[in-house]
Amino acid sequence: MEDELGLSDQGSDAGSEEVLTPAELISKLEEAWLNEKFAPELLESKSEIVECVMEQLNHMEQNLQRARQGDLKISFHHMEIERIRFMLSSYLRSRLHKIEKFFPHVLEKEKSRGEGEPPHLSPEEFAFAKEYMTSTETLLKSVALRHMPPNLQTVDLLKCVPKPNLDSFVFLKVKQAHEGILVEPETDEQSEYTIDMEVGSQHLIRYRTISPLVASGAVNLI
């Protein structure tokens, strides 16, 4: 794992790349995995990281095939490969689970995305979400709706399928200091207040309050 890998920086000028070492790449995968695992909503797609990690895994496996048999390092490399594969598969499963659970809201958010905003779905995930929605509508019509009175044979999936609970609480660790984070009151007797987040500090807070910080990478969910 000695080569450097390039990721295009979506937030900067077109054509610019962020060069990462393999260790930095795996660290970014772990951050994306934990954020996706603990966030109540579907986050921005990290398809470039996924592709680079898959390429790196293939590179590592090829190196193992050329390694001398009986070398103790082989066992450690095998364990590292399995650890990376677990994080990668868990990350993708978490995303698929959210797509299936919130599919109409996920598609609506993706369709209403402004120009220049990063996609929340990879092309493959978008195709899967559309196919899942079509299959769900077909099943509802064939099993239930066609047996209903004419005025009840349509259904608005956006109203029927629950939205992600953005008011759920999450644990986070601060990567970039932020001051004056506005926290909404928990009861009618309380009033709004602000908190300062120092680098390395950990907090338990409503996801809605810090969702922009998760998206910008200023905090990591833990």
Side-chain angles (χ1 to χ4, degrees):
M1 295 180 65
E2 298 175 351
D3 301 334
E4 290 186 336
L5 301 102
L7 291 180
S8 64
D9 189 352
Q10 296 178 344
S12 59
D13 297 336
S16 63
E17 279 196 349
E18 177 186 5
V19 179
L20 301 175
T21 65
E24 291 171 337
L25 175 66
I26 301 309
S27 178
K28 281 193 172 291
L29 171 64
E30 186 170 5
E31 289 180 5
W33 166 52
L34 292 176
N35 284 342
E36 195 68 64
K37 181 178 180 179
F38 296 121
E41 66 174 346
L42 187 73
L43 301 178
E44 174 190 338
S45 172
K46 302 295 184 183
S47 55
E48 285 192 342
I49 291 179
V50 170
E51 291 173 3
C52 286
V53 168
M54 293 179 68
E55 291 178 4
Q56 189 62 27
L57 282 172
N58 290 333
H59 180 65
M60 293 172 68
E61 289 175 338
Q62 291 172 4
N63 286 343
L64 282 180
Q65 291 176 0
R66 294 193 294 266
R68 187 181 61 207
Q69 295 299 318
D71 191 336
L72 184 60
K73 293 180 180 179
I74 293 179
S75 298
F76 293 109
H77 283 298
H78 271 301
M79 287 191 292
E80 179 64 5
I81 288 174
E82 291 305 314
R83 185 182 76 89
I84 296 171
R85 284 194 182 280
F86 171 80
M87 287 194 295
L88 184 60
S89 60
S90 179
Y91 170 74
L92 296 175
R93 283 198 305 268
S94 294
R95 292 186 59 81
L96 283 179
H97 174 71
K98 290 180 184 178
I99 292 172
E100 292 176 346
K101 189 175 182 179
F102 306 119
F103 63 95
H105 307 290
V106 169
L107 284 171
E108 184 64 22
K109 186 173 183 178
E110 189 70 4
K111 291 175 182 176
S112 61
R113 176 169 53 90
E115 185 177 353
E117 292 183 17
H120 279 69
L121 294 172
S122 67
E124 295 80 8
E125 289 171 338
F126 186 67
F128 172 79
K130 288 200 299 183
E131 183 177 350
Y132 190 86
M133 186 167 187
T134 300
S135 299
T136 301
E137 291 174 335
T138 301
L139 179 64
L140 285 173
K141 290 176 182 178
S142 62
V143 173
L145 294 180
R146 68 187 182 91
H147 302 294
M148 305 289 284
N151 62 323
L152 298 176
Q153 289 187 0
T154 58
V155 60
D156 187 349
L157 291 176
L158 281 172
K159 295 181 179 179
C160 296
V161 176
K163 294 181 179 180
N165 181 15
L166 302 184
D167 289 319
S168 59
F169 283 81
V170 294
F171 282 102
L172 63 87
K173 185 173 183 178
V174 181
K175 290 178 62 181
Q176 300 173 14
H178 278 267
E179 297 181 352
I181 304 296
L182 184 64
V183 179
E184 297 180 355
E186 297 298 325
T187 65
D188 294 336
E189 290 76 21
Q190 295 178 333
S191 58
E192 294 181 338
Y193 61 96
T194 61
I195 61 172
D196 296 334
M197 292 185 173
E198 299 179 354
V199 175
S201 62
Q202 299 183 15
H203 303 265
L204 173 63
I205 196 169
R206 286 185 190 273
Y207 175 78
R208 187 188 301 274
T209 303
I210 48 83
S211 60
L213 301 182
V214 175
S216 68
V219 303
N220 287 337
L221 302 184
I222 56 177

